[in-house]
Amino acid sequence: MRHARDARRHIPRTDAVLADPRLAAAARRLGRGPVKAAVVAAQRRARAGEIPPGAVADEGAATLPPTASGLRPVINATGVLLHTNLGRAPLSAAARDAVAAASGVPAVELDLATGARARRGRTALDALAGRGPAAEAAHVVGNGAAALVLAATALAGTREIIVSRGELVEIGDGFRIPDLLAATGARLREVGTTNRTSPDDYAAAVGPDTGFILKIHPSNFRITGFTRSAGIADLAGLGVPVVADIGSGLLAPEPLLPDEPDAQTALAAGAGLVTASGDKLLGGPQCGIVLGRADLVRALARHPLARALRVGKMTLAALEATLRGPATPTAEALHADPSVLRARAEKLAAALAEHGVDASAVDSEAAVGGGGAPGVVLPSAAVSLPEPCAARLRRGDPAVMGRVENGRCLLDLRAVPPDDDAALARAVREAAR
Ligand SMILES: *Cc1c(COP(=O)(O)O)cnc(C)c1O
């Protein structure tokens, strides 16, 4: 008892602890509330005799999180370029700068020259339409699924959307495009079979109750064998709009991914609208992109639901910088030369071995991911480490996500920007200790 009372006398006062430079910095970063709570908890531990009274500030500082957001930064060494659990496409430095600038007070809906109200995000929309030469107009919503919902609501209402049975796709996490479309009140008119749908199947289904024909890119699976599907050009003359959900957001053909559809080709073939995600192969922020005929885009953009699906200023800024700026990290990862990746892996492994880490460079296989380009193998290189490193790397700062293969932890370098190699090496040394 006497011991405890003695200790209490020496517990430093809250204000005095909060003046510690580390805790003052934490208060600027995190707000005063959580820092004070951490100090009070540390004082309680000191009072209980669990820590020495002199350690209250240390304890308070040690228990605080590094940032005000719980989203921890990760180095993506999985070899999956667009990892859904890691936020899909990382933004370019240009796009991050644009986000930071837009996060304050940007003229997102104002013409500073005249002082008049202006079209929201007009420079981003111009950049988008400018990148799809066959597109008369563009619109942006929260994600690819929202673009589909808006197209269904604005163009079909309660009428029919004609879709092939071979294109009724589950996009991930249990979400299915047919359910999404049905939830809008539109009716799905399924045509053809799982493996074969002909232009005549669509033609026979078109009627006065048709809203539009929907072509969905089966982005995360492949049907092979006795198959047939109708192209956009086969359907463009049937007298109703063709909406092409291309998914990946490629604006132009990508020679490395010949089976991935792109907006330019779809529009040139006669699609009235193209919908896509912004954070897949386009390499930008999460958003849904709509490109196409001016009257159709306008019908979507002026629909009351458009207001519920609109994107924020930071998304518009990131999208524009992605479109106008330098190559995206996703494009660089996709086009990385395997021999350069191998050289990086060897350099990293040699440096780690010098520190006594059991590390070697190995060949690896990377993938596009994000539900895109199924079956496409991107030759890559990895640093191979003892398996227990995987969990320790995941819990480090920055966290590193590798993949475990044949009892080894592989850090695949294809999705790791070269600028992150030093941080990766530090994280491995830390984890291997
Ligand atoms: C990814 C994808 C979607 C969903 O887009 P989100 O941006 O994830 O909402 C829809 N259709 C296709 C073909 C896709 O590949």
Side-chain angles (χ1 to χ4, degrees):
M1 236 9 239
R2 195 170 154 263
H3 200 74
R5 207 170 309 135
D6 272 359
R8 193 163 13 205
R9 222 174 289 138
H10 294 104
I11 305 292
R13 288 186 31 213
T14 308
D15 284 355
V17 182
L18 287 173
D20 179 286
R22 291 166 300 170
L23 293 169
R28 284 192 293 277
R29 212 169 59 231
L30 306 170
R32 202 175 142 85
V35 178
K36 197 170 166 191
V39 169
V40 168
Q43 287 171 322
R44 200 175 302 127
R45 292 198 63 195
R47 225 169 268 131
E50 292 168 17
I51 56 170
V56 167
D58 294 346
E59 166 85 359
T63 54
L64 284 166
T67 59
S69 156
L71 284 182
R72 303 255 322 280
V74 179
I75 295 179
N76 174 11
T78 60
V80 178
L81 272 48
L82 302 168
H83 200 298
T84 303
N85 304 143
L86 299 177
R88 290 191 186 156
L91 294 182
S92 65
R96 291 179 197 212
D97 289 348
V99 169
S103 63
V105 186
V108 67
E109 250 178 80
L110 187 75
D111 182 346
L112 289 171
T114 63
R117 180 174 186 157
R119 190 165 54 116
R120 183 180 173 83
R122 62 206 174 283
T123 56
L125 294 175
D126 290 348
L128 192 53
R131 288 282 299 274
E136 296 169 0
H139 184 62
V140 181
V141 290
N143 60 17
L148 275 174
V149 163
L150 190 55
T153 310
L155 303 183
T158 56
R159 293 185 299 152
E160 289 181 350
I161 299 171
I162 302 178
V163 60
S164 162
R165 290 193 172 90
E167 298 176 8
L168 299 173
V169 180
E170 176 168 318
I171 46 182
D173 196 22
F175 287 101
R176 297 172 168 176
I177 290 181
D179 296 346
L180 184 76
L181 296 170
T184 69
R187 278 171 299 131
L188 285 195
R189 176 78 179 264
E190 297 175 13
V191 298
T193 62
T194 305
N195 57 332
R196 288 176 71 87
T197 305
S198 72
D200 287 345
D201 292 322
Y202 289 93
V206 170
D209 209 26
T210 303
F212 59 91
I213 292 172
L214 178 62
K215 284 287 297 173
I216 305 169
H217 174 53
S219 52
N220 52 9
F221 67 99
R222 280 196 307 199
I223 295 183
T224 57
F226 184 52
T227 64
R228 179 173 187 191
S229 63
I232 292 167
D234 300 325
L235 309 176
L238 296 179
V240 294
V242 177
V243 175
D245 173 20
I246 62 168
S248 71
L250 280 183
L251 296 177
E254 167 55 67
L256 282 179
L257 305 172
D259 294 334
E260 278 300 300
D262 69 278
Q264 276 178 25
T265 306
L267 291 169
L273 279 188
V274 167
T275 66
S277 301
D279 55 351
K280 293 182 180 171
L281 287 168
L282 185 72
Q286 178 190 306
C287 62
I289 283 163
V290 180
L291 282 172
R293 252 167 56 190
D295 60 327
L296 298 178
V297 171
R298 190 178 161 74
L300 267 63
R302 297 314 306 165
H303 190 280
L305 193 59
R307 177 57 190 246
L309 303 176
R310 83 174 188 183
V311 292
K313 57 195 180 183
M314 290 179 281
T315 300
L316 290 166
L319 177 61
E320 181 172 1
T322 298
L323 292 164
R324 294 192 199 274
T328 64
T330 301
E332 297 204 313
L334 182 66
H335 291 276
D337 181 340
S339 65
V340 173
L341 296 173
R342 178 78 199 194
R344 284 172 58 197
E346 276 169 10
K347 189 167 165 217
L348 275 168
L352 290 166
E354 246 171 58
H355 283 83
V357 182
D358 166 16
S360 56
V362 296
D363 287 335
S364 172
E365 290 185 344
V368 172
V376 172
V377 173
L378 304 167
S380 188
V383 177
S384 167
L385 300 168
E387 181 175 338
C389 284
R392 286 205 292 272
L393 282 165
R394 217 171 50 233
R395 296 190 205 106
D397 185 24
V400 176
M401 277 296 292
R403 65 173 197 270
V404 171
E405 224 171 78
N406 300 325
R408 297 287 289 179
C409 166
L410 298 190
L411 303 182
D412 188 304
L413 296 182
R414 191 175 268 277
V416 179
D419 286 350
D420 282 355
D421 281 0
L424 187 63
R426 270 196 304 278
V428 174
R429 285 212 303 274
E430 193 68 27
R433 275 211 311 217

